Amino acid sequence: MYAASTSKEWTGLGVVKKAYSFDEFHDHLAEIAGFIDDDTFDKVRVIACDPTKHHSIAESYDAHPMHTDASFAATQLERFMLHFKHIDDNLGGVSTFMPVQWILDEIPFKYKRALEMAEVTYARFNGAGMNKAVRVPILNWKSAEDVVFRWRYDDKVKPLVVDARGFEAEAAIEWVKDFIDNTKPITYSAQRDETILVDNCKFLHGRTPLSPASSRIAWRAWIR
């Protein structure tokens, strides 16, 4: 599953071993994506642990449940790079992955149709109400074979059904959550200077908890 790959060979998952400076990694992203500096895509985010940031699972020491990135965005995030500048020396923060196909192979047909037809949103709530976010089906198709799957379900954000369209959307969401919670994922303990390449439409990802005072630092880049 984890085979050496060049940056332009997006086969779903891959790992490249190469040391970067921050500027080199930024330039490498620009080479792959055709750099467009906006608020969401095609830029590098530094993810370091900060226990004071309770709104962010990525920056906490907690486990990160299975999800796809940018579930709230109108433009579907197709892939991302995660470069490990420093790792957790106490073996925390193991990367976890689950192919969407595992879910599709097991889900009852009525729930699959609900995921395809019902509209949900992944908006956060604040003191003024619900933040703006796109309304989309969880499961969509770019072609007969290319699946698009949006998922996040944790204590901060989860799928909110805004139009079930007569399908069993709530039950379908709970089925997916239960399947993910009870299915052993693929795991990978990334080493320093490794970059994981992920197809965000075909794989859910997460990580195990970090050890106390972990020095893990990852550079993440979302690519359209």
Side-chain angles (χ1 to χ4, degrees):
M1 180 63 67
Y2 294 96
S5 169
T6 65
S7 59
K8 294 184 180 180
E9 292 174 346
W10 295 91
T11 57
L13 289 174
V15 173
V16 172
K17 179 75 172 183
K18 182 178 179 180
Y20 291 98
S21 68
F22 185 84
D23 287 344
E24 287 171 340
F25 188 71
H26 182 281
D27 291 344
H28 191 51
L29 172 64
E31 178 186 347
I32 296 169
F35 193 83
I36 303 172
D37 190 6
D38 64 19
D39 291 336
T40 305
F41 298 99
D42 309 330
K43 62 192 302 183
V44 180
R45 177 186 175 190
V46 178
I47 302 176
C49 300
D50 185 345
T52 67
K53 293 185 177 181
H54 301 293
H55 70 283
S56 172
I57 294 178
E59 294 173 308
S60 76
Y61 293 108
D62 299 332
H64 205 163
M66 284 289 174
H67 64 287
T68 54
D69 275 8
S71 53
F72 57 84
T75 302
Q76 174 64 24
L77 173 63
E78 293 188 0
R79 57 204 187 206
F80 67 89
M81 302 165 64
L82 192 64
H83 178 72
F84 292 85
K85 189 61 178 174
H86 297 287
I87 62 171
D88 188 313
D89 293 330
N90 295 311
L91 306 181
V94 174
S95 295
T96 56
F97 300 96
M98 184 172 294
V100 170
Q101 192 60 49
W102 289 7
I103 299 170
L104 299 183
D105 286 345
E106 299 294 333
I107 189 169
F109 178 76
K110 64 179 181 178
Y111 292 158
K112 180 182 175 184
R113 287 294 290 158
L115 298 184
E116 292 173 328
M117 300 304 296
E119 284 190 341
V120 306
T121 184
Y122 290 95
R124 291 176 182 266
F125 286 84
N126 57 28
M130 187 173 68
N131 289 342
K132 183 178 179 181
V134 67
R135 293 168 50 150
V136 291
I138 291 173
L139 176 61
N140 207 336
W141 302 87
K142 292 186 289 185
S143 70
E145 297 182 354
D146 290 331
V147 66
V148 176
F149 196 85
R150 299 188 188 219
W151 183 259
R152 181 170 172 181
Y153 195 131
D154 53 55
D155 62 351
K156 295 178 173 60
V157 177
K158 62 183 179 180
L160 174 65
V161 177
V162 291
D163 188 350
R165 295 186 174 177
F167 292 87
E168 298 180 49
E170 295 283 1
I173 289 168
E174 293 305 317
W175 186 97
V176 174
K177 182 180 186 300
D178 185 67
F179 179 87
I180 292 170
D181 289 346
N182 291 283
T183 302
K184 184 178 180 180
I186 300 166
T187 59
Y188 185 73
S189 298
Q191 301 302 302
R192 183 172 180 175
D193 294 327
E194 284 188 343
T195 303
I196 298 178
L197 315 174
V198 183
D199 185 322
N200 189 59
C201 296
K202 295 180 180 179
F203 286 87
L204 282 66
H205 67 282
R207 65 162 167 77
T208 64
L210 298 171
S211 62
S214 173
S215 60
R216 177 184 183 270
I217 297 177
W219 297 341
R220 188 195 69 194
W222 287 349
I223 303 172
R224 278 187 247 257

